[in-house]
Amino acid sequence: MSKDQLKAKARRLIAAANELLAIAHELELGIGDDRAPDELTVPHNAKDSPAWAEVARSVYRERRHRSDVFGDPTLFGEPAWDILLDLFIAAKERKRLPVTSACIGAAVPATTALRWLTVLEEKGLILRENDTADARRVFVRLSADGYEKMVAYFTHVASDMRQDERIEAPALRMASGA
């Protein structure tokens, strides 16, 4: 099996594991989690959209695709951004992400990813939470501020795209003589 095939299988396995963790967490909520259910929900503001999860997924896929095409993931390394994208997607899907999965999602050595998790935590963008069921595991998630900043980012990107469409449409009509 090639290295790329192994990476693809690893990504699918991580996605399946995250899904199982989310299901387990939902079951925990029904069995007396010490936090109120609304502590686990995604913050919401007027600019938030369910579509942002798919946009974030697309951005993350495109980042991985660049590395695949150019054959060197270190050329385009932005582990902090990859971690934020991964955590934003997890938040939109209401999934809990273990630190190990966040490190894998960053596509850098674990020590590098752990350093970036510390930086993001110090900046108040992410939170670490101990797993009450398994003391060996720690979850990581976006803080409310981190989540709001990701929503603001995608809202801004969408606004820029709409602005570009408004500029391009008249230019296309003029070019076609319409």
Side-chain angles (χ1 to χ4, degrees):
M1 195 173 291
S2 76
K3 189 175 181 180
D4 289 339
Q5 289 171 320
L6 287 173
K7 283 183 183 179
K9 283 189 180 225
R11 287 187 197 122
R12 286 196 310 272
L13 183 59
I14 290 166
N18 284 335
E19 180 65 24
L20 288 172
L21 287 169
I23 292 168
H25 182 64
E26 288 173 12
L27 292 172
E28 279 180 324
L29 286 178
I31 315 174
D33 187 2
D34 54 352
R35 293 178 293 172
D38 49 331
E39 286 183 59
L40 301 168
T41 59
V42 174
H44 185 76
N45 71 33
K47 294 181 179 184
D48 198 352
S49 167
W52 296 156
E54 189 51 44
V55 172
R57 238 184 251 99
S58 177
V59 169
Y60 186 83
R61 271 193 310 269
E62 288 303 314
R63 293 185 48 67
R64 299 287 71 81
H65 184 67
R66 285 189 313 191
S67 297
D68 292 344
V69 169
F70 288 92
D72 183 357
T74 62
L75 284 176
F76 305 106
E78 286 183 274
W81 183 236
D82 287 337
I83 290 168
L84 290 172
L85 285 169
D86 204 12
L87 293 175
F88 184 71
I89 293 165
K92 296 300 275 180
E93 295 175 346
R94 300 192 189 303
K95 293 180 181 176
R96 297 179 82 189
L97 201 65
V99 166
T100 52
S101 292
C103 288
I104 292 167
V108 293
T111 54
T112 302
L114 289 169
R115 277 194 305 274
W116 279 107
L117 285 171
T118 299
V119 168
L120 293 170
E121 186 176 29
E122 288 170 353
K123 296 203 175 284
L125 297 172
I126 68 166
L127 300 170
R128 294 179 203 237
E129 301 172 328
N130 292 324
D131 185 346
T132 56
D134 183 348
R136 297 168 296 173
R137 187 169 49 194
V138 176
F139 291 105
V140 63
R141 68 177 174 89
L142 288 175
S143 65
D145 185 46
Y147 184 86
E148 292 299 322
K149 286 180 177 177
M150 292 299 286
V151 168
Y153 172 80
F154 287 114
T155 301
H156 178 77
V157 167
S159 175
D160 283 354
M161 289 171 64
R162 285 191 297 273
Q163 182 64 29
D164 289 347
E165 288 170 5
R166 284 191 290 265
I167 293 168
E168 288 176 16
L172 289 174
R173 281 196 296 274
M174 288 176 59
S176 67

